[in-house]
Amino acid sequence: MRIVVLAGGIGGARFLRGLKAALGMGADTTENDSTITVIGNTGDDITLFGLRVCPDLDTVMYTLGGGANEAQGWGRADETFVVKEELAAYGMQPTWFGLGDRDFATHIVRAQMMAAGYPLSAVTSALCDRWKPGVRLLPMTDDRVETHVLIEDDQGRRAIHFQEWWVRHRAALPAEQIIGAGAADATPAPGVLEAIDEADVVLLPPSNPVVSIGSILNVPGIREAVARKTVVGVSPIIGGAPVRGHADACLTAIGVETSAEAVAEHYGPELLDGWLVDEADEGTRVKGIEVRSRPLYMSDPEATAALARAALDLALELKEREPSGEPGAGTEARS
Amino acid sequence: MRIVVLAGGIGGARFLRGLKAALGMGADTTENDSTITVIGNTGDDITLFGLRVCPDLDTVMYTLGGGANEAQGWGRADETFVVKEELAAYGMQPTWFGLGDRDFATHIVRAQMMAAGYPLSAVTSALCDRWKPGVRLLPMTDDRVETHVLIEDDQGRRAIHFQEWWVRHRAALPAEQIIGAGAADATPAPGVLEAIDEADVVLLPPSNPVVSIGSILNVPGIREAVARKTVVGVSPIIGGAPVRGHADACLTAIGVETSAEAVAEHYGPELLDGWLVDEADEGTRVKGIEVRSRPLYMSDPEATAALARAALDLALELKEREPSGEPGAGTEARS
């Protein structure tokens, strides 16, 4: 079975770990009858201190490779912050982004490879040679796409990098607009469209629907390719609040209510075939989308694996139902 | 009084600290009637992991700025090696060069400034804004000059970077030739020739006469400018052996005997006016050069300050003796 997962950072990485567990792909298992291709969000990427930092790709890589800081969700386990302190002592900006020493090494390798002319997809593959995440991890694009956020503060109305808004301001500055700088001109990375085309099902983990999944879908060609498949998503909203992070601030910026129902409607039945909501949101109905309720909190490995299994089972069930195996044709019949 | 010092790494840095002490320039004193301009060797510089590393400039900066690893002589105090371990885990080469985490931050700052177009002299000045070494530290050139060493091993006859020869092979592979790649086309960094021209005296610390002082003198224009001044050097050789490092291997490569006398003759009376040798080498005579013997081991701050004071005093004495203040004119009279 070939599964494609569009993933942001922590939520995507944990869902993927659950999916691997559900498929019997242990931490050390890299081969299985099933293959998982992860299309990772690169809209959060930022150049810091001359180094290209890819937070979402790295969170997936570290988490599946056993190197993540589990308590924090992002960054490396057993991390130290000597380089960061030293850069601050030199007066270097920014000081608000928490790059640890182990993490710095990843960015140094990436920067060196990119300076030598390798595209991000090749760099990611090389980094994964070490981490062996047990999935094929592809950046959504090799082109430079950056999510910027239009805000207004005492310095006026201006677009700042997503990370500055998210990390420095904790998404507390109202976002007037979320801009995918470079997205319109981007091309999917090599292998992305092929992986989607060849997939049996596509799963959307409970990643941020705007700046993670939305960013991936905005790369020209990806949304259309995904829409041709049987797609099941997991709601990142439980009982009207994001499970973690500030997805509510992102949804508000694009005029979408912070609810499991509204997020499914935002994805829309053209894209989404099935939608898992938490038991707290039982009774949610979305026209054209099969909604099921399950416990969605990824509170431990077992709960996470059960959630991933439920998403996959729903996808397979919906795929079965497709008269021709072409899910697009069946959308109306299911509504 | 204006003093110019040509410096390599550890020996130069320690001599400079002694000189500052001898002049009453404490660790926190950055102003004084005397000014010291240090022209630092950049021939040892190497690009590692995409970052430009300047070992000699940094050793001077860290040592005078109070950040050096005193026991080791180079690198930072309280250093950790997390980034280095991680790079090795990624399979990155080389693994034989000991870059610590604190040190890495310096190279990250430098790389970022150089990528933004700043010359090395401006970068060095910016780094010194933090370290406040109490001297004006100038790289010998902003151009890329690298010392390479011609060796022959089981991979054949080839030139390797000086650091590979020095650090990886501990200078144990016989050097057929020492090559200053880029030196012939290099230009002294801004301020270098002016500082020499305006200097009252020029001092040569017990740095490596081939790959440190020699590398500086090989930048076109520097040797000639220095030769016009009253110049006193401190022998890096005591009793036929280098005080530290592998200066003997470098001297052998250029056909110079490892002795205080031979090194003075190698510099020559056109360049050198006075020469301090250790008491173990008392009786050394070099035609055209005033030789004095002193304890040369920089074993503690007092001994180091006394040595620097002796070098400075000899230079001032020789300068006094010059009939016209033009040392070149007096060379023969003293021989």
Side-chain angles (χ1 to χ4, degrees), chain A residues 190-202:
Chain A
V192 165
L193 294 183
E194 293 78 356
I196 298 169
D197 286 345
E198 293 167 5
D200 293 295
V201 295
V202 176

Side-chain angles (χ1 to χ4, degrees), chain B:
Chain B
M1 183 166 42
R2 282 180 281 204
I3 305 166
V4 162
V5 178
L6 312 191
I10 303 173
R14 293 195 168 163
F15 178 84
L16 280 161
R17 190 159 54 184
L19 183 61
K20 283 178 64 185
L23 291 165
M25 300 162 80
D28 298 325
T29 313
T30 53
E31 290 186 30
N32 194 279
D33 285 346
S34 301
T35 61
I36 303 172
T37 300
V38 179
I39 300 171
N41 172 42
T42 61
D44 294 10
D45 293 5
I46 185 168
T47 298
L48 294 169
F49 313 112
L51 307 172
R52 192 72 180 156
V53 177
C54 303
D56 283 0
L57 293 179
D58 289 349
T59 294
V60 170
M61 184 173 79
Y62 294 157
T63 301
L64 299 187
N69 179 324
E70 289 297 325
Q72 187 172 251
W74 54 270
R76 294 287 313 279
D78 303 317
E79 190 56 291
T80 52
F81 291 87
V82 172
V83 175
K84 178 176 153 67
E85 284 163 25
E86 286 291 322
L87 290 172
Y90 277 116
M92 298 290 278
Q93 294 290 340
T95 54
W96 46 260
F97 199 88
L99 290 179
D101 298 325
R102 294 185 193 281
D103 202 26
F104 253 113
T106 300
H107 311 315
I108 290 169
V109 174
R110 181 184 289 118
Q112 193 175 0
M113 287 191 71
M114 291 181 84
Y118 289 95
L120 181 60
S121 51
V123 175
T124 305
S125 170
L127 294 172
C128 285
D129 282 346
R130 171 181 177 196
W131 290 103
K132 301 191 186 353
V135 301
R136 186 169 167 230
L137 178 60
L138 303 176
M140 65 191 201
T141 179
D142 278 336
D143 299 321
R144 185 153 169 163
V145 173
E146 279 188 358
T147 303
H148 294 172
V149 181
L150 188 65
I151 53 111
E152 185 162 7
D153 62 7
D154 50 15
Q155 291 175 54
R157 195 154 171 265
R158 62 208 167 90
I160 59 176
H161 192 285
F162 168 74
Q163 295 293 355
E164 184 171 0
W165 182 66
W166 189 260
V167 176
R168 184 183 194 183
H169 299 294
R170 297 169 187 275
L173 289 170
E176 290 185 32
Q177 198 182 334
I178 291 177
I179 304 155
D185 300 319
T187 307
V192 164
L193 294 183
E194 295 77 356
I196 298 169
D197 286 344
E198 293 167 5
D200 293 296
V201 296
V202 176
L203 303 180
L204 309 186
S207 293
N208 189 307
V210 184
V211 296
S212 296
I213 310 271
S215 167
I216 301 168
L217 293 171
N218 283 345
V219 176
I222 294 186
R223 183 187 303 273
E224 297 71 14
V226 170
R228 284 191 290 270
K229 294 288 160 175
T230 303
V231 181
V232 166
V234 178
S235 176
I237 306 296
I238 297 181
V243 177
R244 63 179 302 151
H246 321 289
D248 48 341
C250 299
L251 289 165
T252 302
I254 62 164
V256 173
E257 191 187 80
T258 301
S259 73
E261 182 186 343
V263 172
E265 282 169 346
H266 168 65
Y267 282 136
E270 308 74 25
L271 184 88
L272 212 55
D273 300 288
W275 188 237
L276 291 188
V277 301
D278 190 70
E279 291 171 323
D281 295 305
E282 194 161 1
T284 299
R285 297 263 177 285
V286 187
K287 190 171 151 64
I289 298 171
E290 180 82 21
V291 180
R292 301 271 170 89
S293 66
R294 299 275 163 189
L296 292 197
Y297 285 106
M298 298 188 284
S299 43
D300 58 52
E302 292 69 31
T304 309
L307 168 61
R309 181 81 251 176
L312 181 59
D313 284 348
L314 177 56
L316 293 173
E317 178 190 330
L318 295 176
K319 187 178 163 69
E320 278 287 297
R321 262 199 235 169
E322 302 299 333
S324 66
E326 291 295 323
T331 302
E332 284 204 332
R334 288 203 308 279
S335 67

